Amino acid sequence: METSPNTPTHAGRVVLVTGACGGIGAAIARRYVQAGAAVCLVDRDAAAGEALAARLRQEGGQVHFAQADVGNFEQCQAACDTAQSTLGPVDTVINNAGISPKRQGLPVPIWQMEPAEWRQVVDVNLNSVFHFTRLLAPGMVERRYGRIVSMSSVAGKAYLDIVAAHYSTTKAALIGLTRHLAGELGPHGITVNALAPGRIDTPMVAGAPQAANDAVTAVTPLRRLGTPNEVADACLFLTSDQAGFITGQVIDVAGGWLMT
Ligand SMILES: NC(=O)c1ccc[n+]([C@@H]2O[C@H](COP(=O)([O-])OP(=O)(O)OC[C@H]3O[C@@H](n4cnc5c(N)ncnc54)[C@H](O)[C@@H]3O)[C@@H](O)[C@H]2O)c1
């Protein structure tokens, strides 16, 4: 579809963003609102979700907030149901929710990791993507159109001593899942891609010791942290008509860090 430079690039689209109240998620949600999409915010934090939804509505957006723990299938199902009854069929899913538990700002060694913590990270970072794909892919297949982007990380592609094993494992698994889904869903008109951010200036990173951020900046060719808007812009591109022939890819948004 041809668009003029002034046409909102996602007008008419219905986008569901998970982890929408965090640094990157909120930037993504706002960018979609600015691009003319209706947006369903999904987050476990009800107060932050309602507040963000109210702000985005004031900015002119058609926005719905659905509280859910993305690691819980039934709660994801309820979120999808209210999103679709409020906004219409979801055609774009941004699997952004993710956690990276630390102790005193440091990653937990594998020999001290509690099984419950391992399972929680797998639920939130990985199983959530199965949940939303399982729930929303049927409608996409039926309508022969869909866009799915999952938030991996450079930590899913290379060893980093600043994250723990559960985090890097789930981020690597998302890359495998992205490639599989791209193959399986491509014949139905659905593209599936992943983003691999480097160090982005968000609350997740603000909790880390300053030295950890400085160390990353020193080995990042662009010599700074990334911004949430820079991740959001890559996300909007991957789900735009201009990216209609891109699928199964993992795009680093990392200032050249690692170049994996
Ligand atoms: N910030 C970075 O440097 C960086 C780098 C690489 C990848 N990422 C990835 O980008 C994504 C967003 O990161 P961020 O920095 O914005 O994180 P953030 O901590 O700022 O936000 C995460 C959001 O997810 C929500 N959330 C957490 N658990 C949830 C659950 N069980 N159900 C529903 N919502 C839940 C939180 O309430 C929060 O709003 C994550 O997947 C993260 O792993 C971040």
Side-chain angles (χ1 to χ4, degrees), residues 12 27 29 35 50 66 82 86 102 109 127 130 133 191 195 200 222 233 235:
E50 295 294 0
T82 64
T86 310
K102 304 264 170 40
N127 292 342
F130 163 69
T133 307
T191 69
L195 290 170
I200 308 298
L222 292 179
D233 287 339
C235 187

Side-chain angles (χ1 to χ4, degrees), residues 16 28 33 40 58 71 80 98 102 109 118 130 139 192 196 231 249 256:
L16 183 146
I28 291 172
V33 164
C40 176
Q58 276 172 2
C80 290
K102 304 264 170 40
W118 174 275
F130 163 69
V192 189
V231 181
Q249 302 306 302

Side-chain angles (χ1 to χ4, degrees), residues 18-26 42-45 48 68-72 95-100 120 123-125 151-155 167 171 174 195-205 228 231:
T18 71
C21 299
I24 293 172
V42 177
D43 205 286
R44 67 179 169 187
D45 186 337
D69 173 352
V70 297
N72 178 298
N95 294 302
N96 167 73
I99 54 174
S100 184
Q120 188 197 12
D123 276 341
V124 176
N125 292 8
M151 207 57 73
S152 178
S153 167
V154 290
Y167 186 80
K171 294 301 181 181
L174 283 183
L195 290 170
R199 201 100 171 135
I200 308 298
D201 195 3
T202 71
M204 182 182 270
V205 159
V231 181

Side-chain angles (χ1 to χ4, degrees), residues 159-184:
Y159 172 69
L160 290 177
D161 63 5
I162 53 177
V163 299
H166 43 28
Y167 186 80
S168 54
T169 301
T170 52
K171 294 301 181 181
L174 283 183
I175 294 173
L177 182 58
T178 294
R179 290 179 177 147
H180 181 93
L181 293 179
E184 194 174 322

Side-chain angles (χ1 to χ4, degrees), residues 7-260:
T7 308
T9 49
H10 292 71
R13 298 279 174 231
V14 178
V15 182
L16 183 146
V17 183
T18 71
C21 299
I24 293 172
I28 291 172
R30 178 168 277 106
R31 281 288 202 251
Y32 276 114
V33 164
Q34 291 166 346
V39 179
C40 176
L41 315 171
V42 177
D43 205 286
R44 67 179 169 187
D45 186 337
E50 295 294 0
L52 179 62
R55 274 201 305 281
L56 293 176
R57 282 188 208 110
Q58 276 172 2
E59 294 169 23
Q62 191 189 352
V63 178
H64 172 73
F65 170 65
Q67 183 186 15
D69 173 352
V70 297
N72 178 298
F73 184 79
E74 286 72 29
Q75 291 185 29
C76 294
Q77 188 160 34
C80 290
D81 288 349
T82 64
Q84 302 207 98
S85 60
T86 310
L87 302 175
V90 171
D91 50 51
T92 302
V93 181
I94 312 303
N95 294 302
N96 167 73
I99 54 174
S100 184
K102 304 264 170 40
R103 287 192 201 152
Q104 285 91 45
L106 297 172
V108 187
I110 191 71
W111 64 88
Q112 292 175 1
M113 192 177 288
E114 296 297 337
E117 182 177 304
W118 174 275
R119 280 194 292 271
Q120 188 197 12
V121 174
V122 173
D123 276 341
V124 176
N125 292 8
L126 177 61
N127 292 342
S128 60
V129 181
F130 163 69
H131 296 159
F132 284 99
T133 307
R134 174 65 187 84
L135 289 161
L136 295 170
M140 294 178 179
V141 168
E142 203 178 301
R143 296 185 297 277
R144 298 200 57 76
Y145 178 89
R147 295 280 183 268
I148 299 172
V149 172
S150 297
M151 207 57 73
S152 178
S153 167
V154 290
K157 302 167 84 182
Y159 172 69
L160 290 177
D161 63 5
I162 53 177
V163 299
H166 43 28
Y167 186 80
S168 54
T169 301
T170 52
K171 294 301 181 181
L174 283 183
I175 294 173
L177 182 58
T178 294
R179 290 179 177 147
H180 181 93
L181 293 179
E184 194 174 322
L185 297 174
H188 301 280
I190 301 165
T191 69
V192 189
N193 292 289
L195 290 170
R199 201 100 171 135
I200 308 298
D201 195 3
T202 71
M204 182 182 270
V205 159
Q210 184 61 38
N213 291 335
D214 290 346
V216 173
T217 303
V219 293
T220 297
L222 292 179
R223 294 287 187 274
R224 63 176 176 85
L225 302 183
T227 69
N229 278 339
E230 287 171 322
V231 181
D233 287 339
C235 187
L236 262 75
F237 170 68
L238 280 178
T239 57
S240 69
D241 291 328
Q242 287 77 8
F245 203 51
I246 300 176
T247 196
Q249 302 306 302
V250 185
I251 310 288
D252 286 11
V253 185
W257 183 27
L258 295 168
M259 295 193 226
T260 49

